[in-house]
Amino acid sequence: MPFLGQDWRSPGQSWVKTEEGWKKTTADDKNNNVSVQSFCKEAEEEESFNKENLLLSFNLMNNNTKVPYFHREKWIYVHKGSTKERHGYCTLGEAFNRLDFCSAIKDTRRFNYVVRLLELIAKSQLPSLSGVAQKNYMNILERVVQKVLDDQQNVRPIKELLQTLYVSLCGLVQDMGKSVLVGNINIWVHRMENILQWQQQLDNIQINRPTNTGMTLTDLPVSLQLNIMHRLSDGRDLVSLGQVCPELGTLTEDRLLWKKLCQYHFTDRQIRKRLMVSDKGHLEWKKMYFKLSRCYPHREQYSDTLHFCTHCHILFWKDINHPCTANNPESCTMSLSPQDFINLFKF
């Protein structure tokens, strides 16, 4: 008998023939067992996910725990505006997190570049970093200090970096509550204590003398010794070298050596403004060098630097390169000094 009126069964219901007769069931009743099992599985996954997030959050808050929560990319895209495909801006903290600086400090060609970048951030850019970037900064700094303690090299620039950072933090901690630094003040006090501890370890470092009894620097001809000294770009290294023995001390007083240092770091106009003449009528190039150093910045030179492609807007290390779409990639690639890297994110 056909039904001429509206079906009395509500949507989602069906009739199933059983031994006791026809019974009305729903789709939920059919999949009851499956639903229960699926619900239990989802509950277990959610509980496991919550535990992992809770553990990660605890580790992030704990300053002594090193959690690799930041990216390590070979190159990144620097976007300075919002488009349909991208929303927001690439900040200094984001670039600092995503680029692989942890591996860069292990490379002797990039070590001085990273140290200089850390020093510039410590002077003025630390408050602009996010909380994750600030923690990442301290973790990288600890690895830098540990590398110096292990290798017993580059002690002086790291001491200067730690002193600059400590002075900056002393002023920033006093402004806590004004959204200057992210995190509890006790965390930053603990970090400042770590900096003082690192400074003490660097002060107590003992340079191990080489065990071999082969040829030393003083055994070389004088011309070769001067050639090696001409390759030093810091006058303080020359002064330290001259304190090794009287013979090297005499060579480090060479006027031509200090003249080339002044001409390398400073312009002719800067040199003319700081002329110093001895009683014999000679220019005091050594005294002029240190006087110029107090007035003007030194010329920076690095074995490997970060590069920026103006065509693709991609930031990358020089020896890694990137998939450029330009016809002539070299013409649209420029080398970035540490200061240029920071200026890149000033919108």
Side-chain angles (χ1 to χ4, degrees):
M1 178 179 178
F3 297 100
L4 300 179
Q6 184 179 6
D7 191 355
W8 69 87
R9 296 172 295 180
S10 60
Q13 293 179 342
S14 61
W15 291 85
V16 179
K17 186 177 181 180
T18 63
E19 296 178 355
E20 301 177 357
W22 290 89
K23 288 187 176 181
K24 184 172 62 174
T25 61
T26 61
D28 294 336
D29 294 334
K30 289 183 178 180
N31 302 326
N32 187 31
N33 295 333
V34 179
S35 300
V36 172
Q37 295 177 357
S38 143
F39 176 78
C40 294
K41 184 177 180 181
E42 292 178 358
E44 292 177 358
E45 294 178 353
E46 183 178 0
E47 182 180 0
S48 175
F49 179 76
N50 291 335
K51 288 182 178 179
E52 293 179 358
N53 285 344
L54 182 62
L55 180 60
L56 178 60
S57 301
F58 176 77
N59 290 334
L60 292 179
M61 293 302 296
N62 185 5
N63 188 57
N64 296 327
T65 305
K66 309 299 181 298
V67 183
Y69 54 90
F70 47 86
H71 301 278
R72 295 181 178 179
E73 301 180 13
K74 297 180 179 180
W75 52 266
I76 62 172
Y77 177 82
V78 180
H79 51 285
K80 297 185 177 181
S82 298
T83 63
K84 294 181 179 179
E85 294 80 12
R86 293 181 179 271
H87 177 70
Y89 300 86
C90 182
T91 62
L92 175 62
E94 182 182 354
F96 191 75
N97 284 336
R98 294 173 59 188
L99 283 174
D100 190 4
F101 285 104
C102 291
S103 299
I105 61 178
K106 300 177 182 179
D107 193 336
T108 54
R109 300 171 301 169
R110 304 174 184 173
F111 181 82
N112 291 330
Y113 185 91
V114 177
V115 170
R116 177 57 177 166
L117 180 60
L118 293 176
E119 184 178 1
L120 292 177
I121 293 177
K123 287 182 178 179
S124 60
Q125 299 298 321
L126 194 60
S128 65
L129 301 182
S130 63
V132 175
Q134 290 177 1
K135 179 175 175 60
N136 186 19
Y137 179 93
M138 298 303 300
N139 289 341
I140 293 178
L141 179 61
E142 182 175 359
R143 297 188 183 188
V144 169
V145 174
Q146 189 60 44
K147 176 178 173 57
V148 172
L149 293 175
D150 296 338
D151 299 343
Q152 298 183 345
Q153 298 178 0
N154 302 306
V155 178
R156 184 177 62 246
I158 304 305
K159 285 184 177 181
E160 297 174 353
L161 168 61
L162 294 178
Q163 182 62 27
T164 301
L165 179 60
Y166 186 82
V167 172
S168 299
L169 288 179
C170 288
L172 294 175
V173 168
Q174 295 177 359
D175 296 332
M176 289 293 286
K178 300 180 181 180
S179 300
V180 177
L181 294 174
V182 180
N184 190 283
I185 187 173
N186 295 328
I187 296 178
W188 286 102
V189 171
H190 177 69
R191 291 171 177 172
M192 294 176 65
E193 293 175 353
N194 288 339
I195 294 175
L196 294 177
Q197 183 179 0
W198 294 337
Q199 290 178 327
Q200 186 67 28
Q201 292 176 355
L202 292 174
D203 291 337
N204 297 333
I205 191 172
Q206 298 291 333
I207 305 298
N208 299 325
R209 292 183 175 272
T211 56
N212 57 346
T213 57
M215 181 178 293
T216 61
L217 179 62
T218 55
D219 296 332
L220 297 175
V222 175
S223 59
L224 289 180
Q225 295 182 28
L226 287 174
N227 190 10
I228 294 175
M229 294 178 184
H230 277 288
R231 299 178 184 275
L232 298 177
S233 59
D234 195 333
R236 293 173 296 181
D237 293 333
L238 280 177
V239 174
S240 300
L241 182 60
Q243 296 174 352
V244 175
C245 63
E247 292 80 7
L248 292 177
T250 303
L251 292 179
T252 55
E253 295 296 329
D254 184 59
R255 295 179 60 252
L256 182 61
L257 194 64
W258 291 99
K259 177 181 178 180
K260 288 188 175 181
L261 266 182
C262 291
Q263 294 176 343
Y264 175 77
H265 287 288
F266 311 106
T267 63
D268 293 338
R269 183 179 180 181
Q270 293 172 344
I271 293 176
R272 287 195 297 267
K273 289 183 177 180
R274 299 292 187 273
L275 291 178
M276 299 179 67
V277 184
S278 63
D279 298 335
K280 299 180 179 181
H282 301 297
L283 292 176
E284 297 285 352
W285 289 105
K286 182 177 180 180
K287 295 180 180 179
M288 288 169 54
Y289 170 82
F290 289 104
K291 187 174 182 179
L292 289 167
S293 299
R294 291 190 294 268
C295 301
Y296 307 103
H298 283 193
R299 176 183 176 183
E300 297 181 0
Q301 184 176 7
Y302 305 98
S303 301
D304 192 9
T305 63
L306 284 169
H307 281 59
F308 182 71
C309 178
T310 57
H311 177 77
C312 305
H313 298 281
I314 287 180
L315 190 65
F316 61 97
W317 290 104
K318 180 178 66 173
D319 60 343
I320 294 177
N321 215 327
H322 74 287
C324 186
T325 58
N327 295 330
N328 189 6
E330 296 181 357
S331 62
C332 56
T333 301
M334 60 179 183
S335 176
L336 298 180
S337 66
Q339 186 62 55
D340 294 335
F341 173 79
I342 294 178
N343 294 337
L344 185 64
F345 301 96
K346 292 183 178 180
F347 306 126

